[in-house]
Amino acid sequence: MAQFPLAVNVQGDYGYKVIVVEDDNTIEEVIQVAVDQIVGVLVAPFPDDVTLRARVHGAKQPLDNNLTVSAAGFIQMEALQIYAEG
C-alpha cells in the first residue's frame, strides 16, 4: 500500500485539486476522498439521489467504481474528472 497523488476536478469546481489516496483504493473510494475535501467547501453539495462517477480527463467512458488505482495503471498526478451521472 503506497500513497498516490491524483489531480481531480469535481463538477462545479473551477480547477483541479491534488488529492492523495492509497494505490489500493477503488475509484469509488477516490471519489469519496475528493468529495470529502471539496464538496461543501468549494462546490455545493450534490443531491442525495445523484450517482458520482469518475473518468480520466478527456475520456468519454467512466471508470469502473471497483477498479483500484494500481490496476488502472495511472501515472502520478493523473487527471480525473468527477461528475454527477443521471
Side-chain angles (χ1 to χ4, degrees):
M1 187 163 37
Q3 292 189 332
F4 200 89
L6 295 169
V8 298
N9 175 260
V10 176
Q11 181 178 325
D13 196 358
Y14 64 90
Y16 284 83
K17 307 293 186 277
V18 176
I19 63 169
V20 178
V21 296
E22 299 294 330
D23 63 358
D24 64 347
N25 283 144
T26 64
I27 296 304
E28 186 171 14
E29 292 169 326
V30 169
I31 291 169
Q32 192 59 54
V33 169
V35 166
D36 288 347
Q37 292 182 25
I38 297 167
V39 172
V41 178
L42 298 169
V43 299
F46 292 100
D48 291 335
D49 61 343
V50 166
T51 300
L52 296 177
R53 299 298 306 261
R55 65 179 166 230
V56 174
H57 176 75
K60 294 184 182 197
Q61 296 299 316
L63 296 162
D64 181 335
N65 279 350
N66 296 316
L67 183 67
T68 64
V69 170
S70 60
F74 294 148
I75 60 170
Q76 289 193 14
M77 298 298 292
E78 187 84 51
L80 301 180
Q81 297 172 314
I82 298 173
Y83 62 97
E85 182 177 73

